Amino acid sequence: MDPPSQVAVPPAPGPAPAPAGVPEGRPERSRGALALGLAGVLLAFTVLAGLHALSVRPFLPADEMPHTGYALLVGRGRLPTLTTPTPLLPRMPRAYQNRLRVYTANHPPLYYALVALPLRLGVATGHPMVGFAAARLLTVLLGGAGVLAVAGLALVLAPGRPQLAVAAAGVGSLVPSFVHISGLVHNDAAGFTTATATLALSALVLVRGPSRGRVAALATAAAAAALTRASGLPFAAAAVLAAGLAPLVHLEGSGEPGTDTPEDRGQRRWRTAVAGARDAGVVAGVTALAAGWFYLRNRALYGDIGGTAANLRQFGMRPRGSPDQFLLSAGFWSRIFDQLWGRFADMQFLAKDALAVPGRVVGVLAAAGLALGGARLLARRARPRPAAGVLLAWLLALGMVPLLMVALATYVAQGGGAHARYLYPGLGVLGLVAAAGLAELPGHRRGLAAIAVLAGEVVLNLLLWATFLSRTSRGRPSLAGAVAGAVRATTGLPAWPVCGVAALLLAAALGMCARALWLLAAEEAAG
């Protein structure tokens, strides 16, 4: 593959995406503040998801058994089908010994190949449940990698505004239902990470131009997204589109001043179009070679590449309308939005509608901030015009969310469950949009709105975690009693040191985020 200069694309600057988010001339402490804030978000996410991983009773969530069984079979060198009986971990408590089928077998195998290692080691060493706990913690780490991918996406789409990277990573990744599912043996966190990384690299190629390294990284990410979940396929398609368009976006102005002739321009356009087709072919080819075999297998076994129809039939699910009915239903999307914010835990001391309040408050604040920012932009006499690459990257990123919504509505219309987790690949984009709105509210010169939202999300996560443990414990104990019992049962340790350490780490994480947002917002206002 030729370097950019050979395809009429100007060479891209060398720094990595993260440092590029800090404008030239800014004090060195801005870079340090960015790193501090991202470390704080990553710490908060890891601690919160880790609490779920270490305290939620194994296989209590319905889908965790087949996900684990899939990984066990992959560890033995087998690829299951939808009718394969779920294998059991040795020494498993009788209460968990059911004979469900591996109804998650229509998912691609990348995630299961990763978590198969700790599961297999646990079985081989005679400590299968330790291996299971390690598989959960590995899932937490995979989700944490997605936190950094969100930050990378924000730094590319909003260069010069590193505070958005910290806020977007925090607001998006600390959504309570995502934190909960990231602490379980589920492939959703890995799907979020691979899809977000693919989108971030697609944006990078559009904004800063193609190079051998960028196209190779984009092809790898797209293949990983397609090999993790079917929801990664639209992101892989977006990567192909970005790779094809990037040389064309960076064509203008690449000739030598005063030496351009019509023939030169025509040849340069032709070479650039060929380079775009080549790069798009590389991304498409790598993705097809890595993941295409699995989707062809699904089609041969079940009749469609996702295995959706066969899976719904085995559960007796029937169509319940057309996708349009759900796409145009405000009530449907309201329920999905509320589910993102914690419907996995029924509050014992508040009305169920109270679960909807935090998410709706954040939504209203973000919308108000976006409206305020739009009004300020319209009031300016000289309005900045984004570069073509930046504009295309934004359109590509924003367009992924409607695609996910259409896919969810179609699945529900076919008879599937209305699960908010199917929108997780778009959390990075939603987090960035929310962060952009929060950054326009009063106190934006110190990042106060984003700081308040992140603190609120941490508190809400802790409350919902304790409530979930109480709701799923025998006798419905108090929140403190449920936490103490769950921690003791899973770790063998008293609850107070475990919870004490977690509280100290979360306090440190919030302090790091607050300090970073305060400094970055002040630097941006001063600049």
Side-chain angles (χ1 to χ4, degrees):
M1 189 178 299
D2 298 326
S5 59
Q6 294 176 325
V7 295
V9 179
V22 180
E24 294 296 328
R26 283 281 174 90
E28 189 64 27
R29 69 175 184 175
S30 292
R31 300 179 188 273
L34 174 62
L36 178 69
L38 294 180
V41 172
L42 189 58
L43 178 60
F45 171 81
T46 303
V47 171
L48 290 169
L51 288 174
H52 286 271
L54 295 175
S55 62
V56 174
R57 198 163 70 245
F59 312 112
L60 174 65
D63 291 346
E64 194 167 39
M65 174 74 79
H67 280 300
T68 303
Y70 190 158
L72 284 169
L73 289 169
V74 170
R76 299 171 189 171
R78 292 180 54 197
L79 199 58
T81 67
L82 292 173
T83 58
T84 302
T86 302
L88 303 177
L89 283 171
R91 303 182 187 177
M92 217 175 188
R94 287 182 179 275
Y96 306 139
Q97 294 190 11
N98 55 57
R99 274 296 184 181
L100 291 173
R101 304 289 179 179
V102 185
Y103 58 81
T104 56
N106 58 324
H107 289 296
L110 179 58
Y111 167 75
Y112 305 100
L114 295 174
V115 297
L117 179 59
L119 288 170
R120 189 134 175 96
L121 285 175
V123 172
T125 58
H127 298 89
M129 298 315 293
V130 174
F132 174 78
R136 279 186 168 184
L137 292 174
L138 176 57
T139 306
V140 173
L141 295 179
L142 292 173
V147 174
L148 300 180
V150 174
L153 176 65
L155 289 170
V156 173
L157 292 179
R161 303 196 66 188
Q163 66 157 319
L164 294 186
V166 177
V171 173
S173 66
L174 296 183
V175 169
S177 69
F178 178 66
V179 170
H180 171 67
I181 212 77
S182 296
L184 309 175
V185 180
H186 276 242
N187 64 359
D188 299 274
F192 158 78
T193 295
T194 54
T196 307
T198 302
L199 192 57
L201 288 165
S202 298
L204 181 65
V205 167
L206 284 170
V207 171
R208 298 180 62 191
S211 69
R212 281 185 242 185
R214 288 177 191 146
V215 172
L218 179 58
T220 303
L227 205 50
T228 303
R229 285 183 65 93
S231 58
L233 291 175
F235 290 83
V240 173
L241 180 63
L245 290 178
L248 298 172
V249 170
H250 291 267
L251 171 64
E252 295 302 324
S254 57
E256 292 294 329
T259 64
D260 260 355
T261 66
E263 292 79 8
D264 291 336
R265 288 193 293 271
Q267 290 180 2
R268 191 163 59 249
R269 290 191 188 99
W270 170 249
R271 289 197 303 270
T272 303
V274 170
R278 179 200 61 204
D279 290 350
V282 167
V283 176
V286 170
T287 303
L289 286 173
W293 64 271
F294 182 82
Y295 292 100
L296 292 175
R297 175 182 182 266
N298 268 358
R299 184 172 182 178
L301 288 173
Y302 315 122
D304 62 86
I305 63 171
T308 303
N311 211 354
L312 293 175
R313 280 198 303 270
Q314 79 172 354
F315 285 98
M317 301 294 188
R318 298 179 179 276
R320 59 182 77 170
S322 69
D324 292 349
Q325 290 177 270
F326 295 96
L327 284 171
L328 299 176
S329 170
F332 173 74
W333 292 115
S334 176
R335 289 193 299 274
I336 292 295
F337 183 79
D338 295 345
Q339 191 184 123
L340 283 173
W341 290 85
R343 281 297 174 99
F344 66 90
D346 292 330
M347 306 292 279
Q348 293 178 311
F349 51 89
L350 291 174
K352 287 187 178 182
D353 287 345
L355 286 171
V357 172
R360 293 181 183 183
V361 167
V362 173
V364 168
L365 288 175
L370 290 172
L372 187 58
R376 287 173 180 156
L377 185 61
L378 291 174
R380 294 180 189 171
R381 292 183 180 179
R383 298 168 193 160
R385 297 182 63 182
V390 174
L391 181 59
L392 279 175
W394 268 105
L395 291 174
L396 191 68
L398 293 173
M400 301 313 296
V401 176
L403 283 178
L404 292 170
M405 294 170 68
V406 169
L408 174 57
T410 302
Y411 179 70
V412 174
Q414 291 173 337
H419 301 304
R421 66 176 184 270
Y422 296 152
L423 298 181
Y424 287 168
L427 276 183
V429 178
L430 295 174
L432 177 56
V433 171
L438 295 174
E440 298 295 335
L441 292 174
H444 64 278
R445 293 178 180 273
R446 292 297 183 182
L448 297 182
I451 293 171
V453 167
L454 292 184
E457 283 187 291
V458 169
V459 172
L460 180 63
N461 269 288
L462 290 173
L463 178 61
L464 293 176
W465 166 65
T467 302
F468 179 81
L469 295 180
S470 176
R471 185 174 67 84
T472 56
S473 299
R474 292 184 181 88
R476 298 288 183 96
S478 66
L479 300 187
V483 169
V487 170
R488 193 183 308 111
T490 54
T491 66
L493 299 172
W496 67 267
V498 174
C499 294
V501 170
L504 289 175
L505 291 175
L506 288 173
L510 281 176
M512 294 160 69
C513 293
R515 175 66 175 167
L517 287 168
W518 183 278
L519 290 174
L520 292 172
E523 289 290 344
E524 184 179 321

